[in-house]
Amino acid sequence: MKINRLCIIGVGLIGGSLARSLKRAGACGEIVGFGRNSENLETAVRLGVIDRYEDDMAEAVKGVDIVVLAVPVGSMQKMFELLQPHVTEQMVITDVGSTKGSVIAAAQTVFGAIPANLVPGHPIAGTEKSGVEAALDDLYQDRRVILTPVEQTAPDALVAVRSMWEAAGAVVEEMGVEHHDEVLAATSHLPHVLAFALVDALAKLDEKAEVFRYAAGGFRDFTRIASSDPTMWTDICMANDKAIAHALQHFSATLQELSEAIANDDREKMFTIFQRAKVARDGFCEALNYAKE
Amino acid sequence: MKINRLCIIGVGLIGGSLARSLKRAGACGEIVGFGRNSENLETAVRLGVIDRYEDDMAEAVKGVDIVVLAVPVGSMQKMFELLQPHVTEQMVITDVGSTKGSVIAAAQTVFGAIPANLVPGHPIAGTEKSGVEAALDDLYQDRRVILTPVEQTAPDALVAVRSMWEAAGAVVEEMGVEHHDEVLAATSHLPHVLAFALVDALAKLDEKAEVFRYAAGGFRDFTRIASSDPTMWTDICMANDKAIAHALQHFSATLQELSEAIANDDREKMFTIFQRAKVARDGFCEALNYAKE
């Protein structure tokens, strides 16, 4: 099922990589960009990521089969507002937000009900980089994309979005909205929160941040995600606050257990936790066919 | 100052890489290995990492200028015990332990006092890999090595160990014992504890560890150090329990602050912490001339 015309709202790393992937697969006719930053959209055209861009939402979505909202979760509601007057029945709408409950709530607010042609989605891919210059035509290759259709979602719309992501190389799965938000809180949002907290805690230890001079490769890897965009992560934490709080609570219980083992020189307890973690980590790396290095 | 003969006790990644680096630099005559595992020592000879090995400590350290203890911190005391009857006045002793207070305490126990020719040291290098097969001749190139001489340390011994590490390509610094243990607790031991705790917490979420299926690249990087050797890390946490407890306390205060900001939807507070962390993290990567990728 070829897409005749696609509109990407927010042509950054995620939206731009989707455009590149669909073009590479020959799965899409024209790709139109829309966004707040014309300079960025011009770059996207120059790089061949999109075919053209429009300053006006009405023009941007005219005659498109699918609209992809690839903006930070904090901007979804505003984009729904701009989009709302121009939505047609044939137009399928999807998004790439890292939290799904908040996007669905924003749609409900703007449209009065969850539109049948809205298919909430989330590609599990990306780096700490951002911007259309970093867009890749294989970012989604063999990566998972989670779709969280709701009761109201039209089966045809779901098929269209699934096909789009499969054409981009992704493995598509469906999941309940709440479950998605809990899983992502655990595997993505919580690690980011911990990395940010660790770096901030160490930076506060001394003014000159002398401690960082003695950091080795493990620390660099561990804290890489603390170089992520602060605005985006503020948005995500606002949008998924409850699931993140729940994940934090769960983590804190294990950390407390481990802290007590260290305080009590409880060698056996420490070893059990470290060993269990190593087995789990080595196991999931193997399962995901990731290089351990 | 060329080393005529060197003995490495524990020929794994760290000891083996020192041997390879000194050989590459032409800074050492014969290198003798000693360890509990003969098969490993045979491998080390076959790979050209060491020239020969001895099953007997007396033979291993006969006529050597420097003895390097490159065993896990939990085995230091036992190695000091084996070494003690064979120590001569000309023989310089150093170690590579990740914690320095515990190594010095072990020496004091075995020797009755801290020997003047003992120079406690710690190369800030390594990976989550281990074993002599992983040894590299440039592991220490431009990496820091911290020496923690004490009042009793003989200046000549300090010079000898400093020269050895400089020949291996390292940048050598001196630091107080307690300060070393605090800095390393913050930049290395704490991140390992957090990574182990996170993976264990997530593994406990569900039996099949379904959550790991939805982990992206950031998670893989963040948890890489949770693949480290559990025995080694149990030893380190036993050896540096107080400094780690202190670092954990410091971290927990920041995490608590951030948790409250998330619970209270305090956008400004979250952003401030994330932004401060990003600036610190980008800054130290630049300062260390690390690639951010």
Side-chain angles (χ1 to χ4, degrees):
Chain A
M1 188 176 64
K2 183 157 166 166
I3 304 161
N4 289 310
R5 190 182 291 162
L6 181 87
C7 176
I8 293 182
I9 299 178
V11 188
L13 170 70
I14 298 297
S17 293
L18 175 59
R20 279 201 187 281
S21 303
L22 292 174
K23 276 182 178 287
R24 189 181 72 154
C28 187
E30 193 180 39
I31 301 184
V32 187
F34 180 84
R36 279 175 298 188
N37 183 339
S38 303
E39 207 178 316
N40 177 63
L41 291 165
E42 272 162 29
T43 303
V45 171
R46 202 185 62 240
L47 295 173
V49 173
I50 54 175
D51 297 302
R52 62 178 166 94
Y53 73 92
E54 299 290 342
D55 294 322
D56 181 61
M57 181 68 91
E59 291 301 319
V61 300
K62 191 180 277 176
V64 304
D65 302 316
I66 304 183
V67 179
V68 181
L69 284 86
V71 297
V73 287
S75 307
M76 289 291 178
Q77 182 156 339
K78 197 179 164 189
M79 289 301 141
F80 281 136
E81 283 164 6
L82 290 176
L83 181 62
Q84 191 266 333
H86 314 294
V87 169
T88 63
E89 274 188 23
Q90 312 86 285
M91 191 187 286
V92 172
I93 306 165
T94 188
D95 77 297
V96 301
S98 308
T99 63
K100 301 275 45 90
S102 70
V103 171
I104 291 169
Q108 176 124 32
T109 302
V110 172
F111 293 95
I114 304 172
N117 50 349
L118 172 67
V119 182
H122 179 205
I124 311 290
T127 68
E128 80 281 12
K129 294 188 202 167
S130 52
V132 69
E133 293 86 352
L136 303 167
D137 68 6
D138 62 353
L139 186 67
Y140 305 114
Q141 193 61 49
D142 302 322
R143 297 295 169 188
R144 288 177 206 279
V145 169
I146 303 174
L147 302 181
T148 62
V150 294
E151 217 183 330
Q152 297 89 328
T153 308
D156 286 359
L158 181 57
V159 168
V161 174
R162 173 182 275 275
S163 303
M164 177 186 77
W165 282 112
E166 286 174 349
V171 178
V172 179
E173 298 195 20
E174 288 173 33
M175 203 184 269
V177 175
E178 271 186 39
H179 188 49
H180 168 277
D181 286 359
E182 277 164 18
V183 166
L184 269 290
T187 57
S188 171
H189 311 166
L190 173 61
H192 278 81
V193 164
L194 297 180
F196 281 126
L198 175 70
V199 175
D200 191 43
L202 297 197
K204 281 187 289 192
L205 271 181
D206 60 307
E207 273 179 34
K208 292 184 202 153
E210 180 226 5
V211 292
F212 294 124
R213 297 180 57 217
Y214 304 101
F219 186 80
R220 181 193 52 187
D221 286 344
F222 187 78
T223 59
R224 178 164 298 124
I225 51 179
S227 284
S228 301
D229 181 49
T231 304
M232 193 181 106
W233 280 94
T234 304
D235 278 358
I236 290 172
C237 289
M238 291 289 288
N240 203 24
D241 54 345
K242 282 180 191 57
I244 294 173
H246 186 248
L248 266 165
Q249 221 168 10
H250 185 73
F251 165 77
S252 295
T254 300
L255 185 63
Q256 183 60 30
E257 195 188 354
L258 184 49
S259 298
E260 279 167 22
I262 294 171
N264 300 331
D265 283 350
D266 186 342
R267 173 180 280 281
E268 201 179 316
K269 172 77 104 183
M270 276 183 239
F271 182 79
T272 303
I273 295 174
F274 294 167
Q275 173 74 12
R276 212 160 46 193
K278 179 182 167 58
V279 168
R281 205 269 169 187
D282 289 349
F284 91 78
C285 276
E286 208 170 300
L288 293 181
N289 201 16
Y290 277 144
K292 278 185 216 171
E293 284 74 32
Chain B
M1 188 175 62
K2 182 156 168 168
I3 304 162
N4 289 312
R5 191 182 292 163
L6 181 86
C7 176
I8 294 182
I9 298 179
V11 188
L13 170 71
I14 297 297
S17 294
L18 176 59
R20 279 201 187 281
S21 304
L22 292 174
K23 277 182 178 286
R24 190 181 73 155
C28 188
E30 193 180 38
I31 302 185
V32 186
F34 180 84
R36 279 175 296 188
N37 183 340
S38 303
E39 207 179 315
N40 177 63
L41 291 165
E42 271 163 31
T43 303
V45 171
R46 201 185 64 239
L47 295 173
V49 173
I50 54 175
D51 297 303
R52 62 178 166 95
Y53 72 91
E54 298 290 343
D55 293 323
D56 181 62
M57 181 69 91
E59 291 301 319
V61 300
K62 192 179 277 177
V64 304
D65 302 316
I66 304 182
V67 178
V68 181
L69 284 85
V71 296
V73 287
S75 306
M76 290 290 178
Q77 182 156 338
K78 196 179 164 188
M79 290 300 140
F80 280 137
E81 283 163 7
L82 290 177
L83 181 62
Q84 192 266 333
H86 313 294
V87 168
T88 64
E89 272 188 25
Q90 311 87 284
M91 190 187 288
V92 172
I93 306 165
T94 188
D95 77 297
V96 301
S98 307
T99 63
K100 301 274 47 88
S102 71
V103 172
I104 291 169
Q108 175 121 33
T109 302
V110 173
F111 293 96
I114 304 172
N117 50 349
L118 172 67
V119 183
H122 178 206
I124 311 289
T127 68
E128 79 282 10
K129 293 187 202 167
S130 51
V132 69
E133 294 86 351
L136 303 168
D137 68 6
D138 62 353
L139 185 67
Y140 305 113
Q141 193 61 49
D142 302 323
R143 297 295 168 188
R144 287 176 206 280
V145 169
I146 303 175
L147 303 180
T148 61
V150 294
E151 217 183 331
Q152 297 90 325
T153 308
D156 286 359
L158 181 57
V159 167
V161 174
R162 173 183 277 274
S163 303
M164 177 187 76
W165 282 112
E166 285 174 349
V171 178
V172 179
E173 297 195 21
E174 288 171 34
M175 203 183 271
V177 175
E178 271 186 40
H179 188 48
H180 168 277
D181 286 359
E182 278 164 17
V183 166
L184 268 290
T187 57
S188 171
H189 311 166
L190 174 60
H192 278 80
V193 163
L194 298 180
F196 281 125
L198 176 70
V199 175
D200 190 43
L202 298 197
K204 282 188 288 192
L205 272 182
D206 60 306
E207 273 180 33
K208 292 184 203 151
E210 180 225 5
V211 292
F212 294 124
R213 296 180 58 216
Y214 304 101
F219 186 79
R220 183 193 50 189
D221 287 343
F222 187 77
T223 59
R224 178 163 298 124
I225 52 179
S227 285
S228 300
D229 181 49
T231 304
M232 193 181 106
W233 281 94
T234 304
D235 278 358
I236 291 172
C237 289
M238 292 288 289
N240 203 24
D241 54 345
K242 283 180 190 58
I244 295 172
H246 186 248
L248 267 166
Q249 220 168 12
H250 184 73
F251 165 77
S252 296
T254 300
L255 185 62
Q256 184 61 27
E257 195 188 355
L258 184 49
S259 298
E260 279 168 22
I262 294 171
N264 301 330
D265 283 350
D266 186 342
R267 173 179 280 280
E268 202 179 314
K269 172 76 105 183
M270 277 183 240
F271 182 80
T272 303
I273 295 174
F274 294 167
Q275 173 75 13
R276 212 161 45 194
K278 180 182 167 57
V279 168
R281 205 269 169 186
D282 289 349
F284 93 77
C285 277
E286 209 170 303
L288 292 182
N289 201 15
Y290 278 144
K292 277 186 216 168
E293 285 73 35

